[in-house]
Amino acid sequence: MWLRSCRHRKSKIRFSGMSQTFFQKERCMIDFGCISIFFKDEFVKRGKEVSVLLPSVKARLGVTYSGQVDFDSDGKVEVSRLNHRFDSIPSSFSSLAFIIIDGTDFVKFPYIRLCASPAKILQGHNVYGSDDPELCLFALVEAFVMAMPHLAGFMDFETAALEYIDLTYSAKVANDNTALQVLNVLRNVSGGQTKNRTTDDYLTTTYWGKGTGNSKRNSRRKQLKAYLKGPELQHAIKEVQKKLFQAKGDEALTQCLKRQLAALVQPQVQQMADGCIRFESRLFAVWLRDNGLPTHLFDFIQKAKAPNVLNQLWQKSWQDIFKSFEGAKMHLHDDKAIHESLKANFYREGKSGKTFSKANKLFNFFNSIKTRGFETVYRETDRATFGRYLADLKTAGLSRAQLQNLTAETTNVIPLVRMINVDFNTQHPEGWQEPETLQVQTRRLLKLVS
């Protein structure tokens, strides 16, 4: 394994109107990676335009294909357009998605695509994680080789290339209620050629450069996303609990899910997620090359492991958006009391305790009025539903007149840049250590069960 450099020289940076002190190696997180690997020449049938896998190889891969069957004038069968759907390889913590793609008009040679969150594979959660490109990107390859050695034998790993990478930094505010208010302001921000897409209507996420709703055109250079980590973490916990219930009888899967759940509910993970606004850059190969980074996997790792390279890429990807923050202002509401009042009035008792789905739905309705305006929400909501929600909100002390004037309030107006403080020194909890490689972790698990 290549040596990892980690220098600790303090320096100053002025970033989007904010002065930050940070170590020379500013720690972001590699949140996701997508790698493509060509098949070895010996398993490929070369054509003038497009090369495809040999039919005999397809039968030996151990995966299911779908495709098109044609008959020529002599009645001979020709099978074409073979494709393999995304499949999932479980690892000790999370899963790796892979798909086999035959030669196409766009990529002339058959290859496999691997996609996963390195943080989830290595430590069970991605609230925080490593920025070591060697550790993170090799984790995807290691998971594939360890889980499917037969299929790995067909691959030419020297051709491995990075299709895209997600880089993430987090900003912390007081709590998720405040974070939601900040995100509401961000929905109206755009800069340069990067346009904010808000038609997805998700209250806890906003995109730039990703087509949503009626706009399906995604940027193939970079896509930016700001979202609240707290709600996403709670959703992930519920999903794992659901899978754990369904996995009865499958001991291996049960143990894997238990490890995932234990990682997600750690106190330090919960604390880091609360009030956390994530700023994520998905950087595609063409954008990386235009900014001086090779996309051949081994070359990329060599260059990206130098101090500050990933930090600089992340900063450059966000620079037009962050510049738009300067001068922007927001109304800071103390919504915690409203939320708590709704939870006190609207809950359901269950075996595992109280659930607050209705209270949360009403709070989201309140935030929608605050963000988009009373009249807009009134026009776009079913009349009976709107009336019920309005009556329910009165239990929290909110009158119709107050709701109609939410967006006109002028108290607690503060600059947006004061709320978005990306502190490069506090991206991990105190005492956090780099996770071990997947192979080392797997060997330890094997020893424990032997």
Side-chain angles (χ1 to χ4, degrees):
M1 300 292 283
W2 288 312
L3 293 175
R4 304 181 182 107
S5 60
C6 185
R7 300 175 183 175
H8 297 287
R9 181 172 57 84
K10 284 190 175 182
S11 57
K12 282 272 190 180
I13 185 172
R14 183 161 293 280
F15 181 60
S16 301
M18 296 172 285
S19 179
Q20 297 288 345
T21 301
F22 61 98
F23 289 107
Q24 181 65 22
K25 185 172 175 61
E26 302 92 5
R27 305 303 302 268
C28 65
M29 177 174 66
I30 298 176
D31 201 8
F32 204 86
C34 183
I35 297 168
S36 61
I37 307 169
F38 286 132
F39 280 81
K40 294 178 180 177
D41 282 345
E42 61 200 86
F43 302 120
V44 176
K45 177 184 177 182
R46 289 189 171 272
K48 291 182 179 179
E49 298 294 333
V50 176
S51 299
V52 296
L53 287 169
L54 292 169
S56 59
V57 172
K58 291 171 182 175
R60 294 160 51 196
L61 290 180
V63 295
T64 303
Y65 277 91
S66 62
Q68 177 176 313
V69 179
D70 299 308
F71 295 88
D72 62 19
S73 57
D74 297 324
K76 294 181 180 179
V77 177
E78 176 69 23
V79 180
S80 60
R81 299 183 185 177
L82 285 176
N83 63 79
H84 165 243
R85 291 185 177 182
F86 263 114
D87 207 342
S88 180
I89 302 171
S91 70
S92 62
F93 274 126
S94 186
S95 60
L96 170 82
F98 76 98
I99 184 171
I100 296 171
I101 303 174
D102 225 341
T104 67
D105 292 339
F106 299 101
V107 181
K108 308 294 185 181
F109 210 80
Y111 67 99
I112 193 169
R113 179 182 290 158
L114 310 176
C115 300
S117 165
K120 288 183 178 180
I121 286 179
L122 292 168
Q123 61 185 28
H125 69 84
N126 67 338
V127 175
Y128 45 85
S130 176
D131 69 343
D132 184 333
E134 182 180 346
L135 172 68
C136 293
L137 297 177
F138 276 178
L140 275 63
V141 179
E142 286 177 331
F144 170 64
V145 173
M146 292 164 61
M148 305 194 74
H150 170 70
L151 181 54
F154 292 92
M155 311 312 304
D156 183 1
F157 289 96
E158 290 295 324
T159 66
L162 189 63
E163 291 197 12
Y164 62 81
I165 188 171
D166 290 4
L167 304 178
T168 301
Y169 277 99
S170 300
K172 287 280 284 183
V173 294
N175 51 54
D176 281 343
N177 291 336
T178 303
L180 186 60
Q181 294 176 58
V182 174
L183 200 67
N184 288 337
V185 178
L186 297 185
R187 286 196 173 88
N188 298 314
V189 175
S190 64
Q193 298 302 309
T194 306
K195 301 302 180 184
N196 187 357
R197 306 295 185 183
T198 60
T199 51
D200 55 351
D201 282 333
Y202 288 117
L203 288 174
T204 60
T205 308
T206 189
Y207 298 93
W208 294 265
K210 179 175 180 177
T212 53
N214 296 325
S215 175
K216 298 297 184 182
R217 294 182 60 186
N218 293 338
S219 170
R220 298 305 297 174
R221 293 177 55 78
K222 68 173 181 178
Q223 294 172 10
L224 308 178
K225 180 171 72 170
Y227 64 102
L228 307 191
K229 190 59 186 177
E232 185 189 70
L233 176 64
Q234 298 309 314
H235 176 74
I237 290 173
K238 291 178 181 178
E239 286 296 304
V240 173
Q241 290 172 333
K242 180 180 177 181
K243 291 178 182 178
L244 194 56
F245 178 79
Q246 297 170 342
K248 291 179 179 178
D250 188 334
E251 185 60 27
L253 179 58
T254 296
Q255 292 304 315
C256 177
L257 291 170
K258 284 183 176 179
R259 286 192 293 271
Q260 280 189 51
L261 187 59
L264 292 170
V265 299
Q266 294 177 85
Q268 64 267 36
V269 173
Q270 298 282 324
Q271 184 179 3
M272 288 290 289
D274 184 39
C276 176
I277 306 173
R278 299 286 286 271
F279 293 91
E280 177 181 291
S281 305
R282 173 159 292 184
L283 308 177
F284 291 92
V286 62
W287 192 92
L288 292 170
R289 286 193 293 266
D290 287 348
N291 286 275
L293 272 292
T295 52
H296 181 271
L297 183 63
F298 304 101
D299 294 339
F300 175 87
I301 289 173
Q302 286 281 40
K303 190 157 187 177
K305 68 181 182 179
N308 300 339
V309 170
L310 296 181
N311 171 273
Q312 290 165 7
L313 288 176
W314 179 85
Q315 286 196 45
K316 187 169 185 178
S317 69
W318 279 95
Q319 64 183 3
D320 54 349
I321 296 296
F322 285 148
K323 187 175 181 179
S324 299
F325 291 169
E326 297 177 8
K329 296 180 179 180
M330 63 173 288
H331 300 278
L332 184 62
H333 303 268
D334 183 9
D335 297 338
K336 189 172 183 179
I338 294 173
H339 198 191
E340 291 301 321
S341 178
L342 290 170
K343 288 166 68 175
N345 285 277
F346 300 99
Y347 61 88
R348 180 175 293 178
E349 294 281 2
K351 292 182 179 180
S352 58
K354 293 181 180 179
T355 58
F356 303 98
S357 56
K358 184 174 181 179
N360 293 334
K361 187 179 294 185
L362 289 169
F363 188 66
N364 288 340
F365 178 72
F366 163 76
N367 276 303
S368 184
I369 290 176
K370 187 169 60 180
T371 306
R372 300 161 60 210
F374 186 93
E375 292 301 325
T376 300
V377 176
Y378 176 75
R379 288 195 304 269
E380 297 178 358
T381 307
D382 174 77
R383 294 292 182 270
T385 301
F386 188 90
R388 287 198 311 272
Y389 282 7
L390 207 62
D392 290 337
L393 285 177
K394 289 181 180 179
T395 64
L398 290 167
S399 68
R400 184 187 184 98
Q402 284 176 303
L403 293 170
Q404 287 175 320
N405 289 281
L406 270 177
T407 55
E409 293 182 13
T410 57
T411 58
N412 296 325
V413 177
I414 60 173
L416 181 61
V417 294
R418 280 180 49 192
M419 297 304 301
I420 303 174
N421 181 14
V422 181
D423 187 344
F424 298 124
N425 270 336
T426 58
Q427 297 296 305
H428 306 95
E430 188 175 351
W432 178 84
Q433 295 181 343
E434 292 271 4
E436 296 174 309
T437 66
L438 194 59
Q439 288 184 339
V440 171
Q441 293 187 46
T442 303
R443 283 198 296 268
R444 181 178 296 108
L445 284 172
L446 290 174
K447 288 180 180 178
L448 290 174
V449 299
S450 61

